[in-house]
Amino acid sequence: MLINDNRAYRLVLLLALSVVSSSALAHGVDDNTRSFLQQNTGVQFGPFLYIGAKHMLTGYDHLLFLVGVIFFLYRSRDVLLYVTMFTVGHSITLLWGVLGDIQVNAYLIDTIIGLSVVYKGFDNLGGFKRVFGRQPDTRLAVLIFGLFHGFGLATKLQEFQLPGQGLLTNLLAFNIGVELGQFAALAFILIAINFWRRSAFFERFATFANTLLMSAGFMLMGYQLTGFTLQ
Amino acid sequence: MQHLIDLTTLIKATLIAVLIAAIALVTLILPAEYNIDPTGVGQKLGLTLLADAAETTTSPPQPEIVSADPEQVVEVTVPAGEGIEYKFRMNQHDKLFYEWITDGEPLYFDLHGEPEGDTTGYFESYAIATLDSMEGSFTAPFTGSHGWYWKNTSTKPVAIQLIVNGQYQIIGL
């Protein structure tokens, strides 16, 4: 029983890791998608749905933040609440950013997304309580960082000078795709973390895991800030 | 909900996170992504090749072709509400590098080719979009006329500056 459990847990962890590392691109969208987006005219519901879902599933910056957010959420009600905050946040700015044609520098937005990962790792370690003596509202923080993630998604779509015809429908399709992708990624992450929590590992490695999370966030920040200074 | 650890551990964890990130950035990520390789590790691992490859695919046409066949600049105007075609005669496998920009207004276009001697009206599209500028190249899949159809749906005439070089003869409008 114990051995079986352990095996299953390893398998799931491996699966989750392979999802996270699969062909993820930092600045967004691969060549096929790019040429499709540039040649597309009119309403294309299915393709935009797919692109949105794919972007979320292969966008490691969003996934890392989600891992951080649900790391210490034990009750499904909390998971639902926090993920909803994140979803509301990024939906608002995704739609607003593209429809309002708000140009935000993609490197700076991605730096802030990197910062959101650092924040969540630090927060999970109880850093704010320890250093500042008080805990910032975690739900509000997730909502605010969700707004930045949405601007990130918006800048990725805006790189393509999308034609105005059918824009709103395509945008909604993309947004629904983002949610579906997020849902799929979340299912994997939740299963993996739940298996992990059952093992004696979890408590011991929680500090280690959140340190790595912070580190990954710092890497994203350094990577994007360098891109910003080079552009 | 958090995992409250003592201050020393917290500081240690944060410093380790920064350190790991800095090492990974300097030795792996920056060499592979931007060809910035202060330590030389990126080169040893072959990571700088990735950045090189990314640079060459986005770089302009090779210099030898430019010198053999200097670029030409063509100006065309698309009247309001109308479409025009601008074509080049090219042999199969001939290559055309191009760059065009309108005076502001985006235009619907179809970049396509028609085989020589064809009477069925067949044509092959290489790109269809609505843009105010475009840059790229294509290799003619067959001998015939190749070029743009631009459609101006606005109420003002739109001027296009087209810069080309490669192997072609101008047919024109």
Side-chain angles (χ1 to χ4, degrees), chain B residues 33-52:
Chain B
E33 301 291 344
Y34 302 124
N35 206 0
I36 301 172
D37 191 20
T39 59
V41 174
Q43 183 129 41
K44 276 192 195 116
L45 295 176
L47 292 176
T48 47
L49 293 175
L50 289 173
D52 283 342

Side-chain angles (χ1 to χ4, degrees), chain B residues 87 110-115 122-126 141-142 144-147:
Chain B
K87 293 303 207 33
D110 182 348
L111 173 58
H112 64 280
E114 289 147 336
Y122 171 82
F123 64 92
E124 187 178 339
S125 292
Y126 315 133
F142 42 72
S145 66
H146 306 263

Side-chain angles (χ1 to χ4, degrees), chain B residues 2-72:
Chain B
Q2 286 97 2
H3 179 71
L4 202 59
I5 53 178
D6 62 74
L7 191 61
T8 326
T9 316
L10 179 68
I11 292 170
K12 230 188 266 173
T14 310
L15 287 179
I16 288 171
V18 173
L19 195 70
I20 294 173
I23 292 171
L25 271 170
V26 172
T27 60
L28 307 172
I29 299 173
L30 297 187
E33 301 291 344
Y34 302 124
N35 206 0
I36 301 172
D37 191 20
T39 59
V41 174
Q43 183 129 41
K44 276 192 195 116
L45 295 176
L47 292 176
T48 47
L49 293 175
L50 289 173
D52 283 342
E55 268 163 33
T56 45
T57 50
T58 54
S59 68
Q62 294 140 14
E64 40 183 321
I65 294 170
V66 174
S67 60
D69 213 337
E71 60 181 37
Q72 278 180 284

